[in-house]
Amino acid sequence: MTSVAHLLADIADIGRDPRGGYSRPVYSIAELDLRAWFVGEATSRGLDVTTDRNGIIWAWWGRPRDGAVVTGSHLDSVPGGGAFDGPLGVASALDAIDVLRARGLSPDAPGARGLAVAVFPEEEGSRFGVACLGSRLLTGAIDPDRARNLTDTDGVTFAEASTAAGLDPAHVGRDPEALARIGTFLELHVEQGRGLGAIPDGPAIAVATSILGHGRWRLTIRGQGNHAGATLMADRHDPMVTAARVILAVREAAAAQPDARATVGRIVPVPGGTNVIASRVDMWLDVRHPDDDVTAATVTRISEAARAAGAAEGCEVDVVEESLSPTTHMDPALRRRLSDLLPGTEQLATGAGHDAGVLAAHVPSGMLFVRNPSGISHAPEEYVSDDDAARGTLALADALAGLGGVALAGAANGRDA
Ligand SMILES: [Zn+2]
C-alpha cells in the first residue's frame, strides 16, 4: 500500500522555488505536472477521472452520483510555500481509498452514498488574486466574466491561462450538476497555526469549527516618477514613501482590534529602478477577523490612513476589494458526527481560507487538520511527520466510511440509504 509519505515524495521535486519552498501557481508547468500526477495516481487506482468546465478534477471511485461524499483539496501553492498545504489533502484522499478498499469497503455497495476526490484549481489565489477561484466558480460565487478577465503579474488573463492548460474558459461558471454530486464535502489539510502542535502529547488530528473571515484588497498609489538625483526632496511625490506609511498604518489598525490580522505581503513599485523615484506602487492587503463588521471597519480605517498619507505626499490612493469571504462556521451536525467518528480529536478554528469554506454555503462541509509542529505555513518550514500523515489517512478513511461514502461490499451495513 502506498503511504502518504511515498505519494508526497513522488512530487517532492515539482515546482521547487530556488528561493526556498515550492511555487506552484495554478496552470503553471509545476501545477499542471501535479495535476497529471494526480490523474495518473487516480487512474492507477481504477478511479474514473474527469476535469469539469471550471478546471476541477473529479476522480470517482465507483459510479458518479448525486449526494456523494467528496473529499479533496488543491495542488497550487503560494510563492515559496510548504510541501503540505494542499497536496497533503490530495495524497491522503488517495491513500484513504487504498485503506478503505483493503477493508473490503466499496462506494457501490448497498447503502453507500458514493465517493469522489476533487482537486480544486487556484485555491491560493496566488496567480490571479482571488482565492478559492475553482470553488467560487463552481458555486457561482464569482461572476464568470470577472474570473475570465483576472490577470496575473505578466498580464496573462485567467481565460488565456485556462486555454493554454487545455480548458475552455467560455464555459466557466456555476455548475449545479457538479455541485449536486457533493452530498458532503470533507477536506483534510495541514494545520496552519500552533493549535495542535502546542498540546504536548496531544492529538494529531483536529476537526475544524470555523474558518476566519478574510478578504484581499489592492491598493494603488500614484505619484510622480522622477530622477533620484535631480529631484530635490521637497519636490517629490514618491508613492514608496506613502506605501511605507500605509504598511505601518496596517499594523496599527490590526493591533487596535483584538483577534484582527492584517498583512501586506506583496508590494510592487513601478517601474522599479534603484535610481528611479517610482511613479506608482501596487500593494495587496489581507485582513481577517472573526467578526466581518470588524474586518470592514479595519479596512475603512486603513483606507483613510492611506488616503491621508497619500495626500501628505501629493499621491493618489485607490483601494479596490479583490475578494471577501465571511467567517464560516462549519456544519454543526457534521462537526458532531466527525467528532463521534474520530474520538480523541481536537476541535480547532482556523485563520486560513479553504475551498471547504466556500462550499459550506451550499453543502454540509467539514475539515480535518493534521498536526504541524512548526506552527508555520505558507513557508518552507511547514511540516507534517510521516506518522501524523498516516494518522491523517486513517482518520480520513474512518470519516469517509462513517459518513456513508462506502459500505461493506456485498452487505447492507444497516445505515439508512
Ligand atoms: Zn491549502
Side-chain angles (χ1 to χ4, degrees):
M1 189 187 303
T2 314
S3 70
V4 175
H6 282 120
L7 285 164
L8 292 178
D10 287 343
I11 56 172
D13 290 329
I14 299 178
R16 276 193 190 275
D17 191 317
R19 301 168 298 179
Y22 292 95
S23 292
R24 297 160 164 172
V26 69
Y27 301 154
S28 64
I29 290 170
E31 203 249 4
L32 291 173
D33 281 354
L34 293 174
R35 290 165 70 91
W37 162 82
F38 172 76
V39 169
E41 288 292 337
T43 305
S44 75
R45 285 167 172 77
L47 309 188
D48 179 11
V49 182
T50 55
T51 301
D52 72 14
R53 52 193 171 85
N54 290 311
I56 302 164
I57 307 176
W58 299 84
W60 284 89
W61 181 19
R63 182 171 55 83
R65 76 198 82 167
D66 286 355
V69 178
V70 178
T71 186
S73 194
H74 60 98
L75 293 169
D76 65 304
S77 79
V78 296
F84 300 93
D85 181 350
L88 181 69
V90 175
S92 300
L94 293 168
D95 198 23
I97 285 176
D98 292 342
V99 168
L100 295 169
R101 186 175 265 148
R103 289 180 186 170
L105 296 158
S106 163
D108 291 329
R113 297 167 62 192
L115 186 63
V117 182
V119 175
F120 291 89
E122 185 66 327
E123 192 276 341
E124 299 289 3
S126 56
R127 182 165 179 188
F128 293 102
V130 176
C132 303
L133 187 56
S135 53
R136 284 182 206 270
L137 284 166
L138 167 70
T139 57
I142 185 169
D143 176 70
D145 273 332
R146 189 185 158 217
R148 277 187 282 265
N149 290 315
L150 292 169
T151 53
D152 68 9
T153 52
D154 295 326
V156 177
T157 65
F158 179 67
E160 290 164 346
S162 301
T163 302
L167 301 161
D168 182 357
H171 299 115
V172 297
R174 203 171 84 83
D175 189 344
E177 286 175 15
L179 196 54
R181 295 198 163 174
I182 311 177
T184 304
F185 184 70
L186 180 61
E187 179 170 4
L188 177 144
H189 204 278
V190 59
E191 213 242 312
Q192 296 180 278
R194 297 170 195 277
L196 288 170
I199 310 170
D201 303 319
I205 310 293
V207 175
T209 55
S210 63
I211 295 176
L212 193 63
H214 53 102
R216 296 180 183 191
W217 291 262
R218 177 184 182 133
L219 282 78
T220 304
I221 307 168
R222 289 187 179 79
Q224 176 60 57
N226 215 329
H227 194 289
T231 315
L232 297 178
M233 301 313 286
D235 295 339
R236 297 181 181 211
H237 307 292
D238 185 347
M240 284 294 270
V241 172
T242 300
R245 294 192 198 284
V246 173
I247 292 168
L248 294 174
V250 167
R251 167 62 67 93
E252 284 157 16
Q257 292 287 356
D259 287 334
R261 299 115 206 242
T263 307
V264 176
R266 184 172 159 212
I267 173 167
V268 180
V270 179
T274 305
N275 56 353
V276 179
I277 298 167
S279 59
R280 190 181 90 218
V281 171
D282 296 321
M283 54 197 283
W284 284 262
L285 171 67
D286 178 304
V287 182
R288 307 179 190 223
H289 192 277
D291 181 338
D292 301 325
D293 290 341
V294 174
T295 300
T298 304
V299 173
T300 298
R301 183 172 166 177
I302 291 168
S303 302
E304 286 167 357
R307 290 199 180 91
E313 185 67 20
C315 294
E316 270 181 38
V317 178
D318 276 332
V319 182
V320 176
E321 178 189 300
E322 289 201 328
S323 67
L324 184 61
S325 301
T327 289
T328 302
H329 298 279
M330 306 315 280
D331 185 80
L334 179 57
R335 272 175 55 195
R336 274 195 301 277
R337 184 86 183 102
L338 289 169
S339 292
D340 289 347
L341 290 167
L342 307 170
T345 48
E346 193 61 34
Q347 303 261 326
L348 276 185
T350 177
H354 299 284
D355 290 306
V358 175
L359 293 172
H362 303 268
V363 293
S365 300
M367 291 192 75
L368 301 178
F369 296 124
V370 181
R371 176 165 53 194
N372 169 12
S374 75
I376 293 172
S377 187
H378 285 183
E381 291 83 358
E382 180 184 276
Y383 179 67
V384 172
S385 73
D386 290 357
D387 285 348
D388 282 352
R391 291 182 178 104
T393 286
L394 291 178
L396 182 61
D398 288 345
L400 295 174
L403 295 171
V406 290
L408 266 181
N413 66 351
R415 199 188 59 81
D416 291 336

